[in-house]
């Protein structure tokens, strides 16, 4: 199992409370390098969690406890989170710590 932890890249995202805005269609994240990302609720939740170091497993546990009433397929959740975290790392929005 991968126990790597991921955290927001403070060189790209600073003061998450000020840069992540809730709008009718989801969330907007504005970065220091002037990128604007439109996120759904789950993506915004994951980014908020990564304000502090979290592993993929940590994120999955939080999602299971906070979001879902019925326990979903754990492998699917971990797979989806892994893909999303990898895409954020490619964009330099998250870093491994």
């Amino acid at each position: 199992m991968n126990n790597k932890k991921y955290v927001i890249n403070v060189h790209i995202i600073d003061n998450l409370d000020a840069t992540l805005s809730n709008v009718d269609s989801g969330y907007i994240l504005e970065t220091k390098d002037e990128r604007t990302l439109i996120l759904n609720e789950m993506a915004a939740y994951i980014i908020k969690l990564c304000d502090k170091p979290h592993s993929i497993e940590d994120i999955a546990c939080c999602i299971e406890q906070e979001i879902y009433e019925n326990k979903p397929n754990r492998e699917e959740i971990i797979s989806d989170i892994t893909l999303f975290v990898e895409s954020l790392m490619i964009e330099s929005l998250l870093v491994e710590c």
Side-chain angles (χ1 to χ4, degrees), residues 15-29:
N15 189 1
L16 192 57
D17 291 333
T19 59
L20 186 65
S21 307
N22 189 345
V23 295
D24 291 336
S25 59
Y27 290 82
I28 294 177
L29 177 65

Side-chain angles (χ1 to χ4, degrees), residues 8 15 24 34 40 45 51 58 68 71 80 84 89 95:
I8 289 172
N15 189 1
D24 291 336
E34 300 183 358
N40 65 24
Y45 182 78
D51 197 27
D58 295 337
Y68 293 108
K71 200 160 191 142
D80 290 347
F84 183 62
M89 292 202 44
V95 293

Side-chain angles (χ1 to χ4, degrees), residues 14-76:
D14 188 27
N15 189 1
L16 192 57
D17 291 333
T19 59
L20 186 65
S21 307
N22 189 345
V23 295
D24 291 336
S25 59
Y27 290 82
I28 294 177
L29 177 65
E30 296 180 30
T31 65
K32 284 183 179 180
D33 59 356
E34 300 183 358
R35 287 183 280 170
T36 301
L37 290 84
I38 299 171
L39 306 169
N40 65 24
E41 186 175 349
M42 185 67 67
Y45 182 78
I46 291 169
I47 287 175
K48 287 178 191 176
L49 285 176
C50 290
D51 197 27
K52 295 186 174 132
H54 280 78
S55 67
I56 300 290
E57 187 71 27
D58 295 337
I59 295 168
C61 287
C62 291
I63 288 172
E64 286 177 340
Q65 293 173 1
E66 299 291 326
I67 307 272
Y68 293 108
E69 290 179 19
N70 300 325
K71 200 160 191 142
N73 182 314
R74 178 71 171 215
E75 286 100 30
E76 280 183 41

